[in-house]
Amino acid sequence: MKRFFLIICIFFSLISCNNKEALMRLQENEEGVQNPTSIEELELAIQKYQRRVDDIMLAQNRVAIWYKMLGTRYIDAKMYKKAVDAFLEALEYYPHNHNLYYQLGLAASQVAKMNVGFSFQESEENYLSLAIDAYSKCLVLEPEYTKAAYALSVIYTYETGEYEKAVPILEDIVKRESKNYDAFFVLGAAYYLDGDYVSAKQSYQKIIDTAKDKKIIDSAKKNILELEMQY
């Protein structure tokens, strides 16, 4: 085991020095393969190097999983900036994992909400843009991923003021999930903020007609009353 880690250390040291020739010699000496020419030698060389490739792939998979776990732990600890970095690292290994993009969007949006000073290279807008991009990529990979769609619509409605982008996303959610009252409330707000009071009232009315929770119904009724006072 110690010998293996010594070889790994030498391996990365050689890479950092761009010493490709020395790296090649190291690999050949380790595997006992030098300039194979015959069928048997070539087959043996491929077999030996394939094991090395398999080991590297296994290590990369583990590192990606650990970065994802680390990002989740950072979120639990409300260390959102560190979570962003961890999920970005995980995406280097799994660039087509929709859940990683969702987690990245969640962490980035939380950073944007933090009332703390940003460095020269950072800004609230940058983190909001990162969150929007992450949620959008998640939905490209998994179009019906409701959590990402809802989170994206909340940013458009309450953070960036892009109500026209929020509305179709929310309409799609409530079409699939007729009792997703959180989405109905945000949809009503998006309609209202976009000046479509009639559609806003209809959204709240659907909540009243189908919900069973008195608090939810009362909130919808209150919103309708506030709407009626304005038009």
Side-chain angles (χ1 to χ4, degrees):
M1 182 62 70
K2 291 182 179 179
R3 182 167 174 267
F4 173 77
F5 284 113
L6 177 60
I7 292 169
I8 292 297
C9 291
I10 297 173
F11 178 84
F12 284 108
S13 175
L14 290 171
I15 289 177
S16 63
C17 297
N18 293 319
N19 194 336
K20 295 182 180 180
E21 183 178 349
L23 177 59
M24 183 65 70
R25 287 199 302 269
L26 173 65
Q27 291 175 328
E28 291 173 349
N29 291 332
E30 172 63 18
E31 297 294 351
V33 176
Q34 291 184 346
N35 300 321
T37 55
S38 69
I39 291 176
E40 292 77 9
E41 289 174 342
L42 288 166
E43 289 178 342
L44 180 60
I46 290 171
Q47 182 180 7
K48 288 184 176 181
Y49 273 85
Q50 185 61 55
R51 286 199 300 267
R52 183 182 293 272
V53 171
D54 291 342
D55 288 341
I56 293 173
M57 292 298 295
L58 177 60
Q60 289 180 333
N61 288 337
R62 287 177 177 173
V63 169
I65 291 171
W66 290 336
Y67 269 124
K68 179 182 178 181
M69 292 173 62
L70 181 61
T72 302
R73 297 294 185 274
Y74 280 142
I75 285 182
D76 292 341
K78 301 186 186 306
M79 301 168 67
Y80 300 116
K81 284 187 179 181
K82 288 185 176 293
V84 167
D85 293 336
F87 289 128
L88 285 172
E89 289 288 349
L91 282 164
E92 290 292 324
Y93 297 93
Y94 290 126
H96 302 295
N97 186 304
H98 71 277
N99 188 57
L100 280 176
Y101 281 112
Y102 169 70
Q103 295 290 341
L104 173 60
L106 182 63
S109 63
Q110 289 298 322
V111 174
K113 294 177 183 178
M114 293 167 59
N115 293 319
V116 297
F118 292 103
S119 70
F120 180 75
Q121 294 84 6
E122 298 173 325
S123 70
E124 177 182 348
E125 291 76 15
N126 286 344
Y127 279 103
L128 275 179
S129 296
L130 177 59
I132 290 171
D133 183 63
Y135 289 139
S136 298
K137 287 180 178 177
C138 174
L139 291 170
V140 168
L141 295 168
E142 193 66 33
E144 294 187 359
Y145 197 72
T146 299
K147 288 183 179 180
Y150 176 77
L152 181 59
S153 71
V154 168
I155 291 177
Y156 284 146
T157 302
Y158 299 112
E159 302 293 339
T160 65
E162 297 174 279
Y163 321 119
E164 71 284 354
K165 292 183 179 180
V167 167
I169 296 173
L170 291 160
E171 288 177 337
D172 187 55
I173 292 176
V174 298
K175 183 178 180 180
R176 296 195 313 268
E177 304 175 13
S178 60
K179 294 185 179 180
N180 189 327
Y181 300 120
D182 287 336
F184 269 114
F185 274 113
V186 180
L187 178 59
Y191 279 135
Y192 166 75
L193 292 169
D194 200 32
D196 188 349
Y197 299 148
V198 174
S199 295
K201 182 177 180 180
Q202 290 174 347
S203 294
Y204 296 133
Q205 187 61 50
K206 287 180 181 177
I207 296 173
I208 296 170
D209 293 341
T210 59
K212 295 182 179 180
D213 189 305
K214 187 177 183 300
K215 289 184 178 179
I216 292 176
I217 294 172
D218 288 344
S219 293
K221 287 181 177 179
K222 180 181 178 181
N223 287 352
I224 288 179
L225 287 175
E226 291 177 353
L227 276 171
E228 290 176 341
M229 292 175 62
Q230 299 195 34
Y231 75 97

